[in-house]
């Protein structure tokens, strides 16, 4: 498969220059739509869904969906990627440096995760049209808020995607690394309600939310539910993220006041869907037990409100799944030496599989993502573009 490599690289530089952190994808969506029309995709084939109206966080726009009519009678297939970047990418200034694209802003990440996927999909459309290549009906799916919880993929109405037989998600480093499974995760938060009092005059009249938090987390740690978790042959991980007040500031505001409120957020992960819930349940029980131990002089205990939500479900496609065999066969035909793997991170593919669309993921040049050292390897980017084109046109 050949592509117009200079045009593909120019396209990537163009998209990297457009800011679009998670939840603020309107500008990059508009730029992608413009680029698609420039390469010959009819405006009528480009649309947004209303997933943003169901996402529980402010989101500028819905997912961008593109319908390319097929030139063959083969079943519809899906190509997807995400439009958003992590907040660290705000202010990125991309430039080419030989076989890489790097960032001139030393305080920002580049945004190759996932502008590489966006550019690869527009390149796919461009080459199908430019070379007049035969292909089945194709749905292109550019999601929002992947970086903050896979929300665009989670909240899409599956019927909007046209019933594809299987899908290909572009998100990662190498085209030869084919991800066929991924971990599942919960996100949880706990509000701890204590009672303020003067810590020097009447500490016994207070109920320390900080102490409840400390006792609960000490219990979680002592019983092996924090960090790498191994119980009865099952494995997973957990983490405590933010620890403060509702505004993200310090829990408590003075040493002479008993802390009356703490908000803690964390996560649980495992490749076993039930074990994810077990880990989350262990945190809930620990906070509830700790709240009963911390009381005021009238024997009134603290209160806790623990809530959790399913972030994404784990999946693993079998090696003989049609989408896996297709990806491996095409990669081999391109001399890419493909390998399959399961990842401990979440992907939009998690939700595609849940929606009934078997989906694998491959990369297109991302390196050192979510850091100020991020760069795009242009050889890997080109390989990802060529693999997408080959997957779309395989008979």
């Amino acid at each position: 498969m050949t592509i117009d490599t200079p045009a593909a690289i120019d396209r990537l530089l163009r998209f990297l220059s457009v800011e679009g952190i998670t939840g603020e994808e309107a500008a990059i969506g508009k730029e992608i739509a413009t680029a698609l029309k420039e390469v010959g995709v009819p405006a009528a084939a480009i649309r947004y869904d209303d997933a943003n109206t169901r996402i529980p966080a402010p989101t500028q726009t819905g997912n961008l969906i593109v319908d390319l009519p097929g030139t063959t009678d083969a079943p519809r297939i899906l190509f997807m990627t995400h439009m958003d970047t992590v907040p660290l990418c705000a202010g990125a200034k991309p430039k080419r440096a030989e076989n890489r694209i790097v960032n001139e802003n030393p305080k920002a990440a580049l945004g190759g995760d996932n502008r590489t996927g966006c550019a690869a999909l527009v390149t796919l459309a461009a080459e199908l049209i430019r070379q007049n290549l035969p292909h089945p009906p194709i749905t292109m799916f550019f999601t929002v808020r992947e970086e903050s919880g896979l929300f665009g993929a989670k909240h899409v109405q599956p019927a909007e995607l046209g019933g594809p037989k299987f899908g290909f998600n572009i998100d990662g480093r190498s085209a030869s690394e084919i991800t066929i499974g991924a971990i599942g995760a919960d996100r949880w938060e706990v509000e701890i309600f204590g009672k303020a009092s003067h810590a020097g005059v009447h500490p016994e009249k207070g109920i320390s939310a900080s102490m409840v938090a400390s006792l609960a987390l000490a219990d979680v740690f002592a019983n092996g539910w924090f960090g790498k978790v191994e119980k009865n042959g099952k494995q997973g991980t957990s983490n405590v993220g933010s620890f403060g007040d509702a505004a993200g500031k310090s829990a408590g505001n003075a040493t002479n006041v008993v802390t009356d409120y703490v908000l803690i957020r964390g996560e649980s992960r495992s490749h076993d869907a039930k074990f994810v819930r077990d880990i989350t349940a262990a945190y809930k029980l620990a906070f509830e037990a700790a709240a009963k131990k911390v009381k005021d002089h009238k024997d009134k205990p603290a209160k806790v409100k623990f809530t959790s939500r399913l972030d994404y479900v784990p999946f693993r496609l079998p090696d003989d799944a049609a989408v896996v065999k297709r990806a491996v066969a095409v990669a081999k035909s391109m001399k890419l030496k493909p390998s399959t793997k399961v990842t401990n991170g979440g992907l939009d593919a998690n939700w595609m599989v849940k929606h009934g669309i078997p989906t694998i993921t491959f990369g297109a040049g991302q390196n050192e993502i979510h850091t100020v050292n991020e760069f795009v390897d242009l050889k890997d980017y080109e390989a990802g573009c060529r693999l997408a084109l080959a997957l779309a046109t395989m008979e």
Side-chain angles (χ1 to χ4, degrees), residues 43 81 93 100 145 199 203 220 230 243 274 281 288 308 330 356 385:
T81 194
K93 295 181 179 179
R100 292 184 175 185
R145 275 201 178 275
V220 165
E230 297 182 349
F243 188 128
K274 183 179 181 302
E288 290 174 343
S308 64
V330 171
C385 291

Side-chain angles (χ1 to χ4, degrees), residues 252-266:
N253 52 28
T255 61
N256 63 350
V257 179
V258 174
T259 304
D260 64 349
Y261 179 83
V262 172
L263 172 64
I264 300 174
R265 293 188 175 97

Side-chain angles (χ1 to χ4, degrees), residues 73-223:
D73 293 331
R76 177 177 293 274
I77 58 176
L78 172 76
F79 284 89
M80 66 181 296
T81 194
H82 65 87
M83 294 191 288
D84 60 318
T85 65
V86 294
L88 185 61
C89 296
K93 295 181 179 179
K95 71 171 184 179
R96 182 168 181 176
E98 296 182 351
N99 289 323
R100 292 184 175 185
I101 295 178
V102 298
N103 193 359
E104 289 190 292
N105 183 351
K107 296 182 179 180
L110 178 62
D113 177 18
N114 200 3
R115 295 293 187 266
T116 54
C118 297
L121 289 197
V122 177
T123 296
L124 170 59
E127 295 301 334
L128 290 175
I129 294 168
R130 183 178 71 89
Q131 299 186 48
N132 194 27
L133 296 171
H135 62 85
I138 292 173
T139 300
M140 291 187 174
F141 184 34
F142 301 82
T143 67
V144 295
R145 275 201 178 275
E146 189 268 0
E147 296 290 4
S148 48
L150 311 182
F151 285 118
K154 178 179 182 179
H155 290 284
V156 68
Q157 298 286 3
E160 293 271 12
L161 302 177
K165 181 180 180 181
F166 42 63
F168 304 101
N169 180 39
I170 304 180
D171 190 4
R173 184 182 66 85
S174 172
S176 63
E177 293 177 354
I178 299 169
T179 301
I180 63 173
I183 206 163
D186 278 351
R187 294 198 187 193
W188 55 261
E189 71 174 40
V190 59
E191 293 182 281
I192 305 172
F193 302 93
K195 185 174 73 172
S197 67
H198 194 296
V201 180
H202 289 296
E204 75 282 1
K205 293 183 178 181
I207 304 173
S208 174
S210 296
M211 187 55 60
V212 174
S214 300
L215 289 172
L217 295 178
D219 180 71
V220 165
F221 181 83
N223 287 289

Side-chain angles (χ1 to χ4, degrees), residues 310-387:
L310 173 66
D311 223 17
Y312 40 88
V313 291
F315 78 97
R316 190 194 190 288
L317 299 175
D319 292 335
D320 61 355
V323 66
V324 176
K325 292 197 295 184
R326 182 179 181 127
V328 170
V330 171
K332 284 181 177 178
S333 74
M334 297 173 59
K335 314 297 184 188
L336 287 179
K337 298 181 180 179
S339 61
T340 59
K341 69 172 186 176
V342 175
T343 180
N344 286 330
L347 297 163
D348 277 343
N350 288 66
W351 280 108
M352 292 301 101
V353 173
K354 179 66 173 177
H355 293 324
I357 306 169
T359 301
I360 62 93
T361 301
F362 63 91
Q366 300 174 12
N367 286 270
E368 303 288 346
I369 63 170
H370 301 186
T371 75
V372 296
N373 298 315
E374 185 182 8
F375 68 93
V376 174
D377 183 298
L378 291 176
K379 289 184 66 176
D380 282 338
Y381 167 64
E382 181 185 6
C385 291
R386 290 193 299 110
L387 179 57

Side-chain angles (χ1 to χ4, degrees), residues 32-72:
I32 291 169
T34 298
L36 286 164
K37 286 180 276 190
E38 289 172 356
V39 302
V41 177
I46 304 168
R47 58 192 168 86
Y48 289 92
D49 73 358
D50 63 350
N52 56 317
T53 66
R54 295 182 293 279
I55 293 173
T59 309
Q60 288 179 342
T61 185
N63 299 303
L64 179 63
I65 302 174
V66 182
D67 301 301
L68 300 181
T71 62
T72 71

Side-chain angles (χ1 to χ4, degrees), residues 290-325:
K292 295 177 182 178
K293 296 176 182 178
V294 182
K295 306 176 181 179
D296 66 7
H297 66 301
K298 295 183 178 180
D299 210 35
K300 180 181 179 181
K303 295 182 179 180
V304 297
K305 180 182 178 182
F306 188 98
T307 57
S308 64
R309 64 172 171 81
L310 173 66
D311 223 17
Y312 40 88
V313 291
F315 78 97
R316 190 194 190 288
L317 299 175
D319 292 335
D320 61 355
V323 66
V324 176
K325 292 197 295 184

